[in-house]
Amino acid sequence: MPLVLSQLFNGLAAGLLLALISTGLTIIYGTLGVINFAHGAIFVVGAYAGLMTFNATGSFILAIVVGSAVTLVLGLVIERGIVRLFYGRPPEDQLLVTFGIGIVLVEIVRSIFGGIGLTMPEPAWGHGIVNMGFLIYPLYRMEILGISALTLVALYIVLYRTRLGLIVRAGIEDALMVNMLGVNVQRSFLMVFGLGAMAAGYAGVINSPIVSLSPDMGARILVDSFVVVVIGGVGSFPGAIIGGIIAGEIQSLTSMFDPAYSDVMLFAVMALVLIFRPQGLMGQEGRE
């Protein structure tokens, strides 16, 4: 039973972190209609920016701030310089250009840091364990669970309870009308792309102490994030959270019996969702 409980907590922590990464994908697609294949590379950039900051200052909080800021600026530059030119283009053009951006970013990281794995120590406030009576659990993993949950709540408030979120949703329905009312929809779309990129970078930093950093780690994150988005529903913010938790628990519980089958089970569940509910658990049929 302690092993099962430990794996359940591992799955929840991993699932919320994966949900945080996936929200960047789903809000960019949901508002802009762009499938961002550079998302995994942006996650990598955020992690390495956080590592550089931590090595220079010893402050994990500052590492989170810098990693998030770097990916926010990177997202703004990518959207303004390249992606906005492809809004009216076929989806395959968007896939190719974002995939190419991702390759360029990964190779830049590789040229700077090399291809060997690097590690970031846990912050001082993350050392130790938590004794919950029925389970002893690493403190930092418990903190990741809380940090991810609070960040997801903050993102939800920004997207669904603020003027920016209202403008974005209105702009999707009728950008011309919103522009005629004096609102710069393109500027709002720019901020959404930057926010999605920042979510990936933020997740990259807080995930760094529990993984080995490498330039290619974003490829796996990208695949898992797409699985989460498909399960939860493309363009659905709540769906990304539910899909992330489901994916995390599937991988964690399956690894108790045979880690080699954790991905098999995840993709099997995705296939079942596509068969019985193609729009995902929380998605809607079609996109207006």
Side-chain angles (χ1 to χ4, degrees):
M1 183 57 66
L3 177 59
V4 173
L5 291 175
S6 177
Q7 289 300 98
L8 285 173
F9 271 94
N10 284 339
L12 183 59
L16 286 178
L17 189 64
L18 194 55
L20 179 58
I21 302 168
S22 302
T23 53
L25 273 179
T26 203
I27 65 175
I28 288 173
Y29 179 81
T31 56
L32 311 181
V34 174
I35 300 177
N36 183 18
F37 263 46
H39 202 67
I42 293 172
F43 171 87
V44 172
V45 171
Y48 275 91
L51 175 63
M52 288 181 61
T53 305
F54 184 84
N55 289 340
T57 66
S59 170
F60 192 77
I61 298 298
L62 191 57
I64 293 176
V65 172
V66 172
S68 302
V70 166
T71 49
L72 170 62
V73 173
L74 178 62
L76 297 179
V77 171
I78 291 173
E79 195 279 342
R80 192 67 357 185
I82 302 175
V83 172
R84 72 180 181 91
L85 304 176
F86 288 80
Y87 285 150
R89 301 278 288 272
E92 55 268 25
D93 290 356
Q94 298 174 355
L95 295 179
L96 287 172
V97 72
T98 55
F99 185 73
I101 292 170
I103 292 175
V104 171
L105 292 176
V106 168
E107 292 309 315
I108 290 174
V109 170
R110 196 191 312 278
S111 68
I112 296 173
F113 297 95
I116 61 174
L118 300 175
T119 58
M120 180 188 291
E122 291 180 346
W125 39 266
H127 293 320
I129 58 175
V130 177
N131 189 344
M132 295 181 282
F134 59 90
L135 177 68
I136 296 176
Y137 197 71
L139 175 59
Y140 185 69
R141 286 183 177 270
M142 185 64 70
E143 290 171 343
I144 283 182
L145 198 156
I147 292 170
S148 300
L150 290 175
T151 306
L152 287 168
V153 170
L155 283 173
Y156 178 85
I157 292 172
V158 169
L159 292 172
Y160 292 91
R161 294 292 184 270
T162 66
R163 184 173 181 270
L164 172 63
L166 177 63
I167 291 172
V168 168
R169 294 195 303 275
I172 294 170
E173 299 298 329
D174 194 335
L176 177 60
M177 179 60 69
V178 176
N179 272 318
M180 291 176 64
L181 293 174
V183 177
N184 191 328
V185 176
Q186 294 301 319
R187 184 180 300 167
S188 300
F189 284 178
L190 169 66
M191 292 307 301
V192 167
F193 197 95
L195 185 64
M198 185 179 69
Y202 176 88
V205 179
I206 63 175
N207 189 50
S208 294
I210 60 176
V211 298
S212 176
L213 302 187
S214 71
D216 297 316
M217 67 179 182
R220 172 60 185 272
I221 291 295
L222 181 66
V223 172
D224 287 349
S225 297
F226 272 114
V227 172
V228 167
V229 171
V230 170
I231 292 175
V234 177
S236 170
F237 182 87
I241 299 175
I242 293 173
I245 294 173
I246 291 174
E249 293 293 358
I250 289 173
Q251 290 183 316
S252 181
L253 293 176
T254 304
S255 66
M256 278 198 316
F257 307 99
D258 191 340
Y261 285 93
S262 60
D263 286 339
V264 174
M265 289 300 298
L266 180 59
F267 283 102
V269 170
M270 183 187 72
L272 290 174
V273 171
L274 288 173
I275 291 171
F276 294 104
R277 190 172 172 82
Q279 70 271 29
L281 298 178
M282 300 291 290
Q284 299 179 356
E285 295 186 13
R287 178 180 181 275
E288 297 181 3

